[in-house]
Amino acid sequence: MKKANYLMFSAVALFLLSGCKDEKQPEITTVPTVEAVRVSPQNVPLDLEYSARTLGSKETAVRARVSGILIKRNYVEGTQVNEGDVLFEIDHEPYRVVLEQAKAKLAQSKAQLTAAEAQWKRVSKLFEERIVSEKSRDDAKANLDALRAAVKLAQAEVDSAQLNLDYTTVTAPIAGITSMETVSEGSLVAVNDQLTTITQLDPMYVLFSASENELFKLASMVEKGLIVNTSNFSSEGSRKITARVHYNNGALYPEEGEIDFINPSIDETTGTLRLRATFPNKDKRLIPGQFVRLSIGNIVRKDAIVIPQEAVMQGAKGAFVYRLSSQNMVESVPVETGAQIGDGYWIIDEGLKDGDVVITNGLMKVRTGSPAQATISVQQPVAENAATDEDIQK
C-alpha cells in the first residue's frame, strides 16, 4: 500500500514539473533613465589659440664701416640705448690724416682752376683780336675743363675721407637693448665686422602660423555669415582683430595686442599661413625668442549649437550623438564637430538643430531604436562672456 502511494506521489510531481517547464515566463524590460539637454543656438566667442614665438620689432646688427683698432666702448651691455648714441670708437687718426691730404689736394686743384680761368679769359680775348690761333684757344679751354673736373674729384675725395672719419664713431642706428659685444676693445676690426646687436623691444612682435584647413574652415563660416568680429572700429575706420599672449606657465600677459600682418601666401612645406601680432611692451615683460601661446579674440560664432564633449562619441563612420525623438526613442545622429570652447564643450557645425534633445549622461545604457526616459535640462550659455545679438555689429 505504501509503495502504491509513493508511485502515485512521484507521478503527480513529475506532471507538475513538466507543466512548469513548458510554461513561458514573461520578459521584464526596463526603460533606462538618462540625462539630456535641449540645445538652442547661442553666440559664442571663439578663442583660437596657437603656438607662437616672440620677436623684437626691430633687430639691427651694428657693424664697423671702416677698419682699424677698436679703442673704446661707450655703453653697458644689455642696457637701453637711444638712436644716435655713440657705442664704439675706432682709431680715427689715420682717417684724419687722409682727410687733411684730401683737403690739401682740393685746395691745390682750386688754385689751378683759378689760374686756368684767368688764362681762358686772356686767350679768348686774344683769339677775338686774331692774335692767337684757334689751337691755342682750344688748348686753354681743354685745360680749364680738366681742372674743373679735377676740383670735383678732389672734393669727392674730401667727402669720402670725411665720411670714413665719421665712421670711426659708431652710433646706434635704432633705439633698443644692446647685446653682448662681439669684439673687445683693442682688437683690430675689419669693414663689416659685427660689433653688437640692438633689439627694439617696444613694440614686440609675436609670430604664429595657422593651418590652411583651419583658415579655409573659418573663411567658409565667414562666407556663411556664421563668424563675425565684435571689435570696435579703429580710428582709421577698419576693424582690428585683438590677440592675447599666455606664457608657458599659463600666466596671461597683461597687454592686449593686434593682428597687423598676414602673409599673402601659404608655406608650401608646412601648409600654413604666417601671421603676426604686435604687442606694447613698455615694461619689457616679453623677451625675444620666447615660446608663448597666442589667442585671438573678438571673433564670435553666431547661432552655434553647443553640447558637452562627453555627449559626442566616435564610430566607424565618424562622430555621432544620441538624440531623443518626440516619442522618446533613441536616435543615432552623425555630427560634424567644430571648435572646442569653454570647459569641455564642442560646437556642432552639422547634424543638430534648435530644440533637439541630446543625451549627455547614461550613454552606455541606451541603444538606437529603444525608448529612454530622460531628465531634460535647458541649456545655459557655455561662455561667461557670450556675446548677445546687440553686441554683434552686422
Short mmCIF file of all heavy atoms in Angstrom, two decimals, residues 60-122:
data_model
loop_
_atom_site.label_atom_id
_atom_site.label_comp_id
_atom_site.label_asym_id
_atom_site.label_seq_id
_atom_site.Cartn_x
_atom_site.Cartn_y
_atom_site.Cartn_z
N THR A 60 68.80 95.02 -35.26
CA THR A 60 69.83 95.54 -36.16
C THR A 60 71.21 95.14 -35.68
O THR A 60 71.55 95.31 -34.50
CB THR A 60 69.74 97.08 -36.24
OG1 THR A 60 68.44 97.45 -36.69
CG2 THR A 60 70.78 97.63 -37.20
N ALA A 61 72.01 94.61 -36.60
CA ALA A 61 73.41 94.31 -36.30
C ALA A 61 74.23 95.58 -36.49
O ALA A 61 74.17 96.22 -37.55
CB ALA A 61 73.92 93.20 -37.21
N VAL A 62 74.96 95.97 -35.47
CA VAL A 62 75.83 97.14 -35.55
C VAL A 62 77.18 96.67 -36.08
O VAL A 62 77.84 95.83 -35.46
CB VAL A 62 75.99 97.82 -34.18
CG1 VAL A 62 76.92 99.02 -34.28
CG2 VAL A 62 74.64 98.23 -33.64
N ARG A 63 77.60 97.20 -37.25
CA ARG A 63 78.82 96.74 -37.91
C ARG A 63 79.80 97.90 -38.10
O ARG A 63 79.41 99.06 -38.20
CB ARG A 63 78.49 96.12 -39.26
CG ARG A 63 77.59 94.89 -39.15
CD ARG A 63 77.30 94.29 -40.51
NE ARG A 63 76.41 93.14 -40.41
CZ ARG A 63 76.81 91.90 -40.16
NH1 ARG A 63 78.10 91.66 -39.99
NH2 ARG A 63 75.94 90.92 -40.07
N ALA A 64 81.06 97.52 -38.17
CA ALA A 64 82.10 98.50 -38.47
C ALA A 64 82.05 98.85 -39.95
O ALA A 64 81.96 97.96 -40.80
CB ALA A 64 83.46 97.94 -38.10
N ARG A 65 82.13 100.13 -40.27
CA ARG A 65 82.09 100.56 -41.67
C ARG A 65 83.47 100.98 -42.17
O ARG A 65 83.64 101.30 -43.35
CB ARG A 65 81.08 101.69 -41.82
CG ARG A 65 79.69 101.27 -41.35
CD ARG A 65 78.67 102.36 -41.51
NE ARG A 65 78.30 102.55 -42.91
CZ ARG A 65 77.31 103.35 -43.29
NH1 ARG A 65 76.61 104.02 -42.37
NH2 ARG A 65 77.02 103.48 -44.57
N VAL A 66 84.44 101.01 -41.23
CA VAL A 66 85.84 101.21 -41.60
C VAL A 66 86.67 100.25 -40.75
O VAL A 66 86.23 99.78 -39.70
CB VAL A 66 86.30 102.67 -41.37
CG1 VAL A 66 85.61 103.62 -42.32
CG2 VAL A 66 86.08 103.09 -39.92
N SER A 67 87.87 99.97 -41.20
CA SER A 67 88.76 99.10 -40.43
C SER A 67 89.63 99.93 -39.50
O SER A 67 89.84 101.13 -39.72
CB SER A 67 89.64 98.28 -41.38
OG SER A 67 90.43 99.14 -42.20
N GLY A 68 90.14 99.29 -38.46
CA GLY A 68 91.00 99.99 -37.51
C GLY A 68 90.97 99.34 -36.15
O GLY A 68 90.31 98.30 -35.93
N ILE A 69 91.69 99.93 -35.21
CA ILE A 69 91.74 99.44 -33.83
C ILE A 69 90.55 99.97 -33.05
O ILE A 69 90.28 101.18 -33.06
CB ILE A 69 93.05 99.86 -33.13
CG1 ILE A 69 94.27 99.34 -33.90
CG2 ILE A 69 93.07 99.35 -31.69
CD1 ILE A 69 94.35 97.84 -33.97
N LEU A 70 89.79 99.06 -32.42
CA LEU A 70 88.66 99.47 -31.58
C LEU A 70 89.22 99.98 -30.26
O LEU A 70 89.77 99.21 -29.47
CB LEU A 70 87.73 98.28 -31.35
CG LEU A 70 86.42 98.57 -30.61
CD1 LEU A 70 85.54 99.49 -31.44
CD2 LEU A 70 85.67 97.27 -30.31
N ILE A 71 89.11 101.27 -30.04
CA ILE A 71 89.77 101.86 -28.87
C ILE A 71 88.83 102.07 -27.68
O ILE A 71 89.30 102.20 -26.55
CB ILE A 71 90.46 103.19 -29.24
CG1 ILE A 71 89.45 104.20 -29.76
CG2 ILE A 71 91.58 102.96 -30.25
CD1 ILE A 71 90.04 105.57 -30.05
N LYS A 72 87.49 102.10 -27.92
CA LYS A 72 86.61 102.39 -26.78
C LYS A 72 85.20 101.89 -27.04
O LYS A 72 84.70 101.95 -28.16
CB LYS A 72 86.58 103.90 -26.52
CG LYS A 72 85.91 104.29 -25.20
CD LYS A 72 86.04 105.79 -24.95
CE LYS A 72 85.42 106.17 -23.61
NZ LYS A 72 85.51 107.63 -23.36
N ARG A 73 84.58 101.36 -25.96
CA ARG A 73 83.15 101.02 -25.97
C ARG A 73 82.46 101.94 -24.98
O ARG A 73 82.86 102.04 -23.83
CB ARG A 73 82.93 99.56 -25.59
CG ARG A 73 81.46 99.22 -25.36
CD ARG A 73 81.23 97.72 -25.27
NE ARG A 73 81.97 97.08 -24.22
CZ ARG A 73 81.59 97.01 -22.95
NH1 ARG A 73 80.47 97.60 -22.56
NH2 ARG A 73 82.33 96.39 -22.05
N ASN A 74 81.39 102.61 -25.41
CA ASN A 74 80.76 103.66 -24.60
C ASN A 74 79.41 103.26 -24.01
O ASN A 74 78.66 104.14 -23.58
CB ASN A 74 80.58 104.93 -25.45
CG ASN A 74 81.90 105.54 -25.85
OD1 ASN A 74 82.80 105.67 -25.04
ND2 ASN A 74 82.03 105.88 -27.13
N TYR A 75 79.05 102.00 -24.00
CA TYR A 75 77.75 101.59 -23.45
C TYR A 75 77.94 100.36 -22.56
O TYR A 75 78.97 99.69 -22.62
CB TYR A 75 76.77 101.27 -24.58
CG TYR A 75 77.09 99.98 -25.30
CD1 TYR A 75 76.44 98.79 -24.95
CD2 TYR A 75 78.02 99.95 -26.33
CE1 TYR A 75 76.75 97.61 -25.61
CE2 TYR A 75 78.31 98.78 -26.99
CZ TYR A 75 77.68 97.61 -26.63
OH TYR A 75 77.98 96.44 -27.27
N VAL A 76 76.94 100.10 -21.76
CA VAL A 76 76.93 98.91 -20.91
C VAL A 76 76.10 97.84 -21.61
O VAL A 76 74.96 98.09 -22.02
CB VAL A 76 76.33 99.22 -19.52
CG1 VAL A 76 76.28 97.96 -18.68
CG2 VAL A 76 77.16 100.30 -18.83
N GLU A 77 76.68 96.68 -21.76
CA GLU A 77 75.99 95.60 -22.48
C GLU A 77 74.66 95.26 -21.81
O GLU A 77 74.55 95.20 -20.58
CB GLU A 77 76.87 94.35 -22.50
CG GLU A 77 78.19 94.55 -23.25
CD GLU A 77 79.16 93.43 -22.97
OE1 GLU A 77 79.56 93.29 -21.80
OE2 GLU A 77 79.52 92.70 -23.90
N GLY A 78 73.64 95.05 -22.66
CA GLY A 78 72.33 94.67 -22.16
C GLY A 78 71.47 95.82 -21.68
O GLY A 78 70.41 95.60 -21.10
N THR A 79 71.92 97.05 -21.92
CA THR A 79 71.14 98.21 -21.47
C THR A 79 70.45 98.87 -22.66
O THR A 79 70.74 98.61 -23.82
CB THR A 79 72.05 99.24 -20.77
OG1 THR A 79 73.07 99.65 -21.68
CG2 THR A 79 72.67 98.63 -19.53
N GLN A 80 69.55 99.79 -22.34
CA GLN A 80 68.81 100.54 -23.36
C GLN A 80 69.70 101.65 -23.91
O GLN A 80 70.36 102.38 -23.16
CB GLN A 80 67.55 101.14 -22.74
CG GLN A 80 66.77 102.07 -23.66
CD GLN A 80 65.96 101.34 -24.70
OE1 GLN A 80 65.55 100.21 -24.49
NE2 GLN A 80 65.70 101.98 -25.83
N VAL A 81 69.74 101.78 -25.23
CA VAL A 81 70.42 102.90 -25.88
C VAL A 81 69.42 103.59 -26.79
O VAL A 81 68.43 103.00 -27.22
CB VAL A 81 71.65 102.43 -26.69
CG1 VAL A 81 72.71 101.86 -25.78
CG2 VAL A 81 71.25 101.43 -27.77
N ASN A 82 69.69 104.85 -27.07
CA ASN A 82 68.83 105.63 -27.94
C ASN A 82 69.47 105.78 -29.32
O ASN A 82 70.70 105.66 -29.47
CB ASN A 82 68.57 107.01 -27.34
CG ASN A 82 67.84 106.93 -26.02
OD1 ASN A 82 66.89 106.17 -25.87
ND2 ASN A 82 68.30 107.70 -25.05
N GLU A 83 68.64 106.03 -30.30
CA GLU A 83 69.15 106.22 -31.65
C GLU A 83 70.13 107.40 -31.67
O GLU A 83 69.85 108.47 -31.14
CB GLU A 83 67.99 106.50 -32.61
CG GLU A 83 68.40 106.67 -34.05
CD GLU A 83 67.23 106.89 -34.98
OE1 GLU A 83 66.07 106.74 -34.51
OE2 GLU A 83 67.47 107.21 -36.16
N GLY A 84 71.31 107.17 -32.25
CA GLY A 84 72.32 108.22 -32.32
C GLY A 84 73.35 108.17 -31.22
O GLY A 84 74.37 108.88 -31.29
N ASP A 85 73.13 107.37 -30.16
CA ASP A 85 74.12 107.26 -29.09
C ASP A 85 75.42 106.66 -29.63
O ASP A 85 75.41 105.75 -30.46
CB ASP A 85 73.60 106.37 -27.96
CG ASP A 85 72.53 107.06 -27.13
OD1 ASP A 85 72.30 108.26 -27.35
OD2 ASP A 85 71.92 106.38 -26.28
N VAL A 86 76.56 107.19 -29.13
CA VAL A 86 77.86 106.67 -29.55
C VAL A 86 78.13 105.36 -28.81
O VAL A 86 78.16 105.32 -27.58
CB VAL A 86 78.98 107.68 -29.26
CG1 VAL A 86 80.34 107.09 -29.62
CG2 VAL A 86 78.74 108.97 -30.04
N LEU A 87 78.33 104.28 -29.58
CA LEU A 87 78.55 102.96 -28.99
C LEU A 87 80.03 102.59 -28.97
O LEU A 87 80.54 102.11 -27.96
CB LEU A 87 77.77 101.91 -29.78
CG LEU A 87 76.26 102.12 -29.92
CD1 LEU A 87 75.63 100.97 -30.70
CD2 LEU A 87 75.59 102.26 -28.56
N PHE A 88 80.72 102.80 -30.08
CA PHE A 88 82.14 102.43 -30.19
C PHE A 88 82.92 103.56 -30.84
O PHE A 88 82.37 104.37 -31.59
CB PHE A 88 82.30 101.16 -31.05
CG PHE A 88 81.62 99.94 -30.50
CD1 PHE A 88 80.35 99.60 -30.91
CD2 PHE A 88 82.27 99.12 -29.58
CE1 PHE A 88 79.72 98.47 -30.43
CE2 PHE A 88 81.65 97.99 -29.09
CZ PHE A 88 80.37 97.65 -29.51
N GLU A 89 84.23 103.56 -30.56
CA GLU A 89 85.14 104.49 -31.22
C GLU A 89 86.31 103.69 -31.80
O GLU A 89 86.96 102.93 -31.09
CB GLU A 89 85.65 105.54 -30.24
CG GLU A 89 84.57 106.49 -29.73
CD GLU A 89 85.10 107.51 -28.76
OE1 GLU A 89 86.32 107.83 -28.85
OE2 GLU A 89 84.33 107.98 -27.90
N ILE A 90 86.51 103.87 -33.09
CA ILE A 90 87.63 103.25 -33.78
C ILE A 90 88.72 104.31 -33.95
O ILE A 90 88.42 105.50 -34.14
CB ILE A 90 87.18 102.69 -35.14
CG1 ILE A 90 86.12 101.60 -34.92
CG2 ILE A 90 88.34 102.13 -35.95
CD1 ILE A 90 85.47 101.09 -36.20
N ASP A 91 89.98 103.90 -33.88
CA ASP A 91 91.10 104.84 -34.01
C ASP A 91 90.91 105.71 -35.25
O ASP A 91 90.87 105.22 -36.39
CB ASP A 91 92.40 104.05 -34.12
CG ASP A 91 93.62 104.95 -34.14
OD1 ASP A 91 93.46 106.15 -33.84
OD2 ASP A 91 94.72 104.47 -34.49
N HIS A 92 90.79 107.02 -35.03
CA HIS A 92 90.46 107.92 -36.12
C HIS A 92 91.65 108.66 -36.72
O HIS A 92 91.51 109.34 -37.74
CB HIS A 92 89.43 108.96 -35.64
CG HIS A 92 89.97 109.87 -34.58
ND1 HIS A 92 89.92 109.54 -33.24
CD2 HIS A 92 90.58 111.09 -34.66
CE1 HIS A 92 90.47 110.52 -32.54
NE2 HIS A 92 90.88 111.47 -33.38
N GLU A 93 92.83 108.56 -36.11
CA GLU A 93 93.98 109.33 -36.57
C GLU A 93 94.34 109.05 -38.03
O GLU A 93 94.58 109.98 -38.81
CB GLU A 93 95.19 109.08 -35.66
CG GLU A 93 95.16 109.89 -34.37
CD GLU A 93 95.09 111.38 -34.65
OE1 GLU A 93 95.85 111.87 -35.51
OE2 GLU A 93 94.27 112.08 -34.02
N PRO A 94 94.41 107.78 -38.47
CA PRO A 94 94.75 107.55 -39.89
C PRO A 94 93.75 108.20 -40.83
O PRO A 94 94.13 108.72 -41.89
CB PRO A 94 94.73 106.02 -40.01
CG PRO A 94 94.97 105.52 -38.63
CD PRO A 94 94.30 106.50 -37.73
N TYR A 95 92.51 108.22 -40.45
CA TYR A 95 91.47 108.80 -41.32
C TYR A 95 91.50 110.32 -41.28
O TYR A 95 91.16 110.98 -42.27
CB TYR A 95 90.10 108.25 -40.91
CG TYR A 95 90.01 106.76 -41.10
CD1 TYR A 95 90.24 105.90 -40.04
CD2 TYR A 95 89.75 106.23 -42.35
CE1 TYR A 95 90.18 104.53 -40.22
CE2 TYR A 95 89.68 104.85 -42.54
CZ TYR A 95 89.91 104.00 -41.47
OH TYR A 95 89.86 102.65 -41.67
N ARG A 96 91.96 110.88 -40.15
CA ARG A 96 92.09 112.34 -40.08
C ARG A 96 93.21 112.80 -41.00
O ARG A 96 93.09 113.83 -41.69
CB ARG A 96 92.38 112.76 -38.63
CG ARG A 96 92.41 114.27 -38.43
CD ARG A 96 92.90 114.63 -37.03
NE ARG A 96 94.27 114.16 -36.81
CZ ARG A 96 95.35 114.77 -37.30
NH1 ARG A 96 95.25 115.88 -38.02
NH2 ARG A 96 96.54 114.29 -37.04
N VAL A 97 94.28 112.02 -41.03
CA VAL A 97 95.41 112.37 -41.90
C VAL A 97 94.98 112.31 -43.37
O VAL A 97 95.31 113.21 -44.17
CB VAL A 97 96.60 111.42 -41.65
CG1 VAL A 97 97.69 111.63 -42.70
CG2 VAL A 97 97.17 111.64 -40.25
N VAL A 98 94.27 111.27 -43.74
CA VAL A 98 93.79 111.14 -45.12
C VAL A 98 92.88 112.31 -45.48
O VAL A 98 92.93 112.86 -46.60
CB VAL A 98 93.05 109.80 -45.31
CG1 VAL A 98 92.38 109.75 -46.69
CG2 VAL A 98 94.02 108.64 -45.15
N LEU A 99 92.05 112.75 -44.53
CA LEU A 99 91.16 113.88 -44.78
C LEU A 99 91.96 115.16 -45.03
O LEU A 99 91.65 115.95 -45.95
CB LEU A 99 90.21 114.07 -43.60
CG LEU A 99 89.29 115.29 -43.67
CD1 LEU A 99 88.38 115.22 -44.91
CD2 LEU A 99 88.44 115.41 -42.40
N GLU A 100 93.03 115.38 -44.25
CA GLU A 100 93.85 116.58 -44.44
C GLU A 100 94.54 116.55 -45.79
O GLU A 100 94.66 117.58 -46.47
CB GLU A 100 94.88 116.68 -43.31
CG GLU A 100 94.28 116.95 -41.94
CD GLU A 100 93.49 118.25 -41.89
OE1 GLU A 100 93.90 119.23 -42.55
OE2 GLU A 100 92.44 118.28 -41.21
N GLN A 101 94.99 115.37 -46.20
CA GLN A 101 95.62 115.25 -47.51
C GLN A 101 94.61 115.58 -48.62
O GLN A 101 94.95 116.28 -49.60
CB GLN A 101 96.16 113.84 -47.71
CG GLN A 101 97.34 113.50 -46.83
CD GLN A 101 97.75 112.04 -46.94
OE1 GLN A 101 96.98 111.20 -47.42
NE2 GLN A 101 98.99 111.74 -46.51
N ALA A 102 93.39 115.09 -48.46
CA ALA A 102 92.36 115.35 -49.47
C ALA A 102 92.00 116.82 -49.52
O ALA A 102 91.79 117.39 -50.61
CB ALA A 102 91.12 114.51 -49.16
N LYS A 103 91.99 117.47 -48.38
CA LYS A 103 91.68 118.91 -48.36
C LYS A 103 92.80 119.70 -49.04
O LYS A 103 92.54 120.68 -49.77
CB LYS A 103 91.50 119.37 -46.91
CG LYS A 103 90.20 118.93 -46.28
CD LYS A 103 90.09 119.46 -44.85
CE LYS A 103 88.74 119.08 -44.24
NZ LYS A 103 88.62 119.59 -42.84
N ALA A 104 94.04 119.29 -48.81
CA ALA A 104 95.15 119.99 -49.45
C ALA A 104 95.10 119.81 -50.97
O ALA A 104 95.36 120.77 -51.73
CB ALA A 104 96.47 119.45 -48.91
N LYS A 105 94.79 118.63 -51.41
CA LYS A 105 94.68 118.39 -52.84
C LYS A 105 93.56 119.21 -53.45
O LYS A 105 93.69 119.74 -54.58
CB LYS A 105 94.45 116.90 -53.08
CG LYS A 105 94.44 116.52 -54.55
CD LYS A 105 94.27 115.01 -54.71
CE LYS A 105 94.25 114.63 -56.18
NZ LYS A 105 94.10 113.17 -56.37
N LEU A 106 92.46 119.34 -52.71
CA LEU A 106 91.34 120.15 -53.19
C LEU A 106 91.75 121.61 -53.31
O LEU A 106 91.43 122.29 -54.32
CB LEU A 106 90.15 120.02 -52.23
CG LEU A 106 88.95 120.91 -52.53
CD1 LEU A 106 88.37 120.59 -53.91
CD2 LEU A 106 87.87 120.76 -51.44
N ALA A 107 92.49 122.10 -52.32
CA ALA A 107 92.95 123.50 -52.37
C ALA A 107 93.88 123.72 -53.56
O ALA A 107 93.81 124.75 -54.25
CB ALA A 107 93.66 123.86 -51.07
N GLN A 108 94.75 122.77 -53.82
CA GLN A 108 95.66 122.86 -54.96
C GLN A 108 94.89 122.89 -56.28
O GLN A 108 95.19 123.69 -57.18
CB GLN A 108 96.63 121.67 -54.93
CG GLN A 108 97.69 121.72 -56.01
CD GLN A 108 98.61 120.51 -55.93
OE1 GLN A 108 98.18 119.41 -55.60
NE2 GLN A 108 99.89 120.73 -56.23
N SER A 109 93.89 122.01 -56.39
CA SER A 109 93.10 121.96 -57.62
C SER A 109 92.32 123.24 -57.82
O SER A 109 92.19 123.74 -58.97
CB SER A 109 92.14 120.76 -57.55
OG SER A 109 92.85 119.55 -57.50
N LYS A 110 91.82 123.82 -56.75
CA LYS A 110 91.07 125.08 -56.87
C LYS A 110 91.99 126.21 -57.34
O LYS A 110 91.59 127.07 -58.14
CB LYS A 110 90.43 125.44 -55.53
CG LYS A 110 89.21 124.60 -55.20
CD LYS A 110 88.60 125.04 -53.87
CE LYS A 110 87.32 124.24 -53.59
NZ LYS A 110 86.70 124.65 -52.30
N ALA A 111 93.24 126.21 -56.81
CA ALA A 111 94.19 127.25 -57.22
C ALA A 111 94.51 127.11 -58.71
O ALA A 111 94.58 128.11 -59.45
CB ALA A 111 95.46 127.15 -56.39
N GLN A 112 94.72 125.89 -59.16
CA GLN A 112 95.00 125.65 -60.57
C GLN A 112 93.81 126.05 -61.44
O GLN A 112 93.98 126.58 -62.54
CB GLN A 112 95.38 124.19 -60.80
CG GLN A 112 96.70 123.79 -60.17
CD GLN A 112 96.96 122.30 -60.25
OE1 GLN A 112 96.06 121.51 -60.54
NE2 GLN A 112 98.21 121.91 -59.99
N LEU A 113 92.62 125.79 -60.91
CA LEU A 113 91.41 126.15 -61.66
C LEU A 113 91.31 127.67 -61.80
O LEU A 113 90.93 128.19 -62.87
CB LEU A 113 90.17 125.59 -60.97
CG LEU A 113 88.83 125.97 -61.59
CD1 LEU A 113 88.75 125.47 -63.04
CD2 LEU A 113 87.67 125.42 -60.75
N THR A 114 91.66 128.41 -60.75
CA THR A 114 91.61 129.88 -60.82
C THR A 114 92.57 130.41 -61.90
O THR A 114 92.22 131.32 -62.68
CB THR A 114 91.97 130.48 -59.45
OG1 THR A 114 91.05 129.99 -58.46
CG2 THR A 114 91.93 132.00 -59.49
N ALA A 115 93.74 129.82 -61.92
CA ALA A 115 94.71 130.24 -62.95
C ALA A 115 94.21 129.90 -64.35
O ALA A 115 94.37 130.68 -65.30
CB ALA A 115 96.06 129.59 -62.68
N ALA A 116 93.60 128.73 -64.50
CA ALA A 116 93.09 128.30 -65.81
C ALA A 116 91.95 129.20 -66.27
O ALA A 116 91.83 129.49 -67.48
CB ALA A 116 92.64 126.85 -65.74
N GLU A 117 91.12 129.64 -65.34
CA GLU A 117 90.02 130.54 -65.72
C GLU A 117 90.57 131.88 -66.21
O GLU A 117 90.06 132.46 -67.21
CB GLU A 117 89.10 130.73 -64.51
CG GLU A 117 88.26 129.50 -64.19
CD GLU A 117 87.48 129.66 -62.88
OE1 GLU A 117 87.84 130.54 -62.06
OE2 GLU A 117 86.53 128.91 -62.69
N ALA A 118 91.60 132.38 -65.54
CA ALA A 118 92.21 133.65 -65.97
C ALA A 118 92.88 133.49 -67.34
O ALA A 118 92.76 134.38 -68.22
CB ALA A 118 93.23 134.12 -64.94
N GLN A 119 93.54 132.36 -67.54
CA GLN A 119 94.18 132.10 -68.83
C GLN A 119 93.15 132.00 -69.95
O GLN A 119 93.37 132.51 -71.06
CB GLN A 119 94.98 130.79 -68.74
CG GLN A 119 95.67 130.36 -70.01
CD GLN A 119 96.80 131.31 -70.41
OE1 GLN A 119 97.26 132.16 -69.63
NE2 GLN A 119 97.26 131.18 -71.66
N TRP A 120 92.04 131.40 -69.64
CA TRP A 120 90.99 131.27 -70.65
C TRP A 120 90.43 132.63 -71.06
O TRP A 120 90.20 132.88 -72.25
CB TRP A 120 89.87 130.37 -70.11
CG TRP A 120 88.61 130.44 -70.91
CD1 TRP A 120 87.42 130.96 -70.53
CD2 TRP A 120 88.43 129.98 -72.24
NE1 TRP A 120 86.50 130.86 -71.53
CE2 TRP A 120 87.10 130.24 -72.61
CE3 TRP A 120 89.27 129.37 -73.18
CZ2 TRP A 120 86.58 129.93 -73.86
CZ3 TRP A 120 88.75 129.04 -74.42
CH2 TRP A 120 87.41 129.32 -74.75
N LYS A 121 90.29 133.53 -70.12
CA LYS A 121 89.80 134.88 -70.44
C LYS A 121 90.77 135.61 -71.37
O LYS A 121 90.38 136.29 -72.32
CB LYS A 121 89.57 135.67 -69.16
CG LYS A 121 88.38 135.19 -68.34
CD LYS A 121 88.23 136.04 -67.08
CE LYS A 121 87.04 135.56 -66.25
NZ LYS A 121 86.89 136.36 -65.01
N ARG A 122 92.07 135.50 -71.04
CA ARG A 122 93.07 136.18 -71.88
C ARG A 122 93.13 135.61 -73.29
O ARG A 122 93.13 136.34 -74.28
CB ARG A 122 94.46 136.07 -71.23
CG ARG A 122 94.62 136.94 -69.99
CD ARG A 122 96.08 137.03 -69.58
NE ARG A 122 96.64 135.72 -69.23
CZ ARG A 122 96.62 135.22 -68.01
NH1 ARG A 122 96.06 135.91 -67.01
NH2 ARG A 122 97.15 134.04 -67.76
#
